[in-house]
């Protein structure tokens, strides 16, 4: 039994996962509820509270847990969460804090970039399980990614690597949260309703319906086409460099398959931005769902 923690831009999700990578029970806590508590303290207290609650509910105890895996944005290393731009965390020793909270210096805690954890789940039991050379893109608050060659998860030695979101697609473009200009993430990780001028949050199904009903509006149509074009440009750069068999897209973007993906596939398959125009890779929708981060965190090795 393992615990998987998905530390997102807006939430902390905790799940108890069995040997078949199935979630037995989970809890979710939202950053908006932290009030005057520091973000670091809220993250730790949420994890501790969630784990203790699940252990009590399932009647397991901590000594029966093989490990705790944490999927986090940024560049985690040596027990530290580092460079989490969207949460404004520069460096935080989450491993030490959790071991202190649980009173166990021997507690095994693994950290990995959240996009890579989602990719592990997608490769193990999702859309990429039948492909050897493949790429996973997680498009949400930011853009994370991971690469598999010959079925193997590629891990650079120095940093998390494959920061596709910070690939520059317009050197004089929009300011990104990382401080650079023109990053892929600055154009393609925003919520669709913000890009299209919809100020109130609505669900993916309702948003898709509203946009389709307003496609006669030239501004809506042009903004959508511009968004797809930027998305296709970034993905084409990845294809030209890595030449994968398939690219799977997850995160909040996967909720807009009906709205985006047919246009995106058409743009990429046209070969407009590709060097090798014949036999482009499959563009797939992620299948592991919202729990990919939790499941993937337990697959960290």
């Amino acid at each position: 039994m393992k615990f998987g923690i998905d530390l997102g831009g807006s939430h902390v999700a905790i799940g108890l996962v069995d040997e078949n990578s199935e979630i037995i029970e989970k809890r979710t806590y939202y950053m908006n509820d932290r009030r005057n508590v520091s973000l670091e303290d809220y993250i730790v207290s949420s994890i501790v509270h969630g784990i203790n609650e699940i252990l009590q509910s399932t009647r397991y105890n901590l000594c029966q847990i093989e490990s705790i895996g944490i999927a986090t944005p940024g560049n985690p290393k040596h027990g530290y969460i580092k460079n989490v731009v969207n949460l404004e965390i520069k460096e935080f020793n989450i491993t030490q804090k959790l071991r202190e909270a649980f009173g166990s210096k021997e507690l095994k805690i693994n950290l990995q970039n959240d996009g890579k954890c989602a990719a592990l789940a997608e490769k193990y039991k999702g859309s990429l399980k039948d492909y050897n050379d493949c790429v996973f893109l997680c498009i949400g608050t930011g853009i994370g990614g991971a690469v598999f060659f010959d079925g193997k998860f590629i891990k650079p030695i120095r940093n998390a690597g494959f920061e596709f979101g910070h690939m520059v697609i317009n050197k004089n473009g929009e300011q990104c949260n990382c401080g650079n200009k023109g990053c892929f993430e600055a154009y393609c990780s925003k919520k669709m309703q913000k890009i299209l001028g919809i100020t109130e949050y609505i669900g993916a199904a309702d948003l898709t319906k509203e946009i389709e009903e307003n496609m006669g509006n030239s501004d809506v149509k042009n903004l959508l086409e511009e968004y797809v074009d930027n998305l296709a440009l970034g993905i084409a750069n990845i294809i030209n460099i890595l030449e994968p068999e398939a690219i799977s897209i997850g995160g909040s973007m996967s909720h807009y398959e009906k709205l985006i993906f047919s246009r995106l596939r058409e743009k990429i398959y046209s070969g407009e931005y590709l060097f090798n125009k014949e036999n482009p890779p499959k563009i797939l929708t992620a299948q592991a769902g919202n729990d990919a981060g939790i499941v993937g965190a337990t697959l960290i090795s």
Side-chain angles (χ1 to χ4, degrees):
M1 304 294 289
K2 298 179 181 180
F3 272 106
I5 314 295
D6 181 16
L7 177 56
S10 59
H11 70 277
V12 181
I14 301 105
L16 182 62
V17 181
D18 67 16
E19 62 275 9
N20 296 315
S21 293
E22 297 294 334
I23 296 176
I24 296 173
E25 195 165 330
K26 72 174 183 177
R27 299 287 188 279
T28 303
Y29 305 93
Y30 295 93
M31 303 294 188
N32 288 340
D33 296 333
R34 67 186 176 94
R35 298 177 183 174
N36 295 324
V37 179
S38 74
L39 187 58
E40 290 86 348
D41 287 344
Y42 182 77
I43 290 170
V44 171
S45 64
S46 295
I47 292 172
V48 172
H49 182 73
I51 287 177
N52 285 334
E53 216 176 59
I54 292 172
L55 289 174
Q56 183 177 9
S57 174
T58 58
R59 299 189 178 182
Y60 285 96
N61 58 60
L62 196 60
C63 67
Q64 294 175 282
I65 302 303
E66 184 179 339
S67 65
I68 297 173
I70 302 176
T72 171
N75 187 26
K77 187 184 293 186
H78 306 310
Y80 284 81
I81 294 175
K82 294 187 174 185
N83 302 325
V84 184
V85 174
N86 292 315
L87 292 179
E88 298 182 353
I89 294 176
K90 291 185 178 180
E91 186 172 279
F92 174 45
N93 192 340
I94 191 170
T95 300
Q96 178 184 328
K97 291 295 183 182
L98 286 174
R99 285 175 178 160
E100 289 175 355
F102 284 111
S104 173
K105 294 182 179 179
E106 307 303 320
L107 186 62
K108 185 177 180 182
I109 301 174
N110 300 316
L111 272 67
Q112 183 56 273
N113 173 268
D114 54 354
K116 291 165 180 58
C117 287
L120 288 168
E122 209 61 43
K123 186 71 178 73
Y124 180 74
K125 58 184 299 184
S127 61
L128 295 175
K129 63 181 181 294
D130 296 325
Y131 297 95
N132 289 316
D133 293 350
C134 50
V135 172
F136 177 74
L137 284 178
C138 185
I139 304 179
T141 307
I143 297 180
V147 174
F148 298 86
F149 281 143
D150 195 25
K152 297 176 182 177
F153 176 52
I154 305 302
K155 294 190 291 184
I157 293 174
R158 294 198 306 154
N159 294 307
F162 303 110
E163 293 287 354
F164 297 126
H166 299 290
M167 168 177 56
V168 175
I169 63 172
N170 182 352
K171 68 177 183 178
N172 298 315
E174 293 185 27
Q175 189 83 24
C176 180
N177 287 336
C178 74
N180 293 331
K181 288 185 177 181
C183 291
F184 184 31
E185 182 171 298
Y187 291 89
C188 293
S189 70
K190 299 174 183 177
K191 293 179 179 179
M192 286 296 300
Q193 63 267 21
K194 182 176 180 181
I195 290 177
L196 297 168
I198 299 171
T199 57
E200 295 181 0
Y201 174 79
I202 58 175
D206 290 336
L207 176 60
T208 298
K209 181 180 179 182
E210 183 167 338
I211 292 172
E212 287 179 339
E213 289 177 351
N214 287 279
M215 284 300 286
N217 182 323
S218 60
D219 289 339
V220 171
K221 184 177 181 180
N222 290 338
L223 282 168
L224 182 60
E225 293 304 324
E226 180 183 351
Y227 180 86
V228 171
D229 193 54
N230 285 327
L231 190 59
L233 176 59
I235 292 174
N237 285 336
I238 295 168
I239 294 170
N240 289 335
I241 294 168
L242 299 174
E243 288 294 349
E245 299 171 275
I247 294 180
S248 177
I249 301 175
S252 60
M253 176 56 61
S254 61
H255 298 303
Y256 302 104
E257 180 172 12
K258 184 179 179 183
L259 181 66
I260 296 294
F261 276 64
S262 62
R263 293 177 172 86
L264 177 62
R265 291 186 180 102
E266 182 180 350
K267 193 77 175 177
I268 291 175
Y269 294 162
S270 73
E272 181 178 352
Y273 297 128
L274 297 181
F275 175 71
N276 293 311
K277 301 182 185 303
E278 296 183 4
N279 193 28
K282 302 289 186 184
I283 305 298
L284 309 171
T285 308
Q287 297 175 356
N290 293 331
D291 294 329
I294 291 174
V295 173
T298 65
L299 298 173
I300 302 169
S301 59

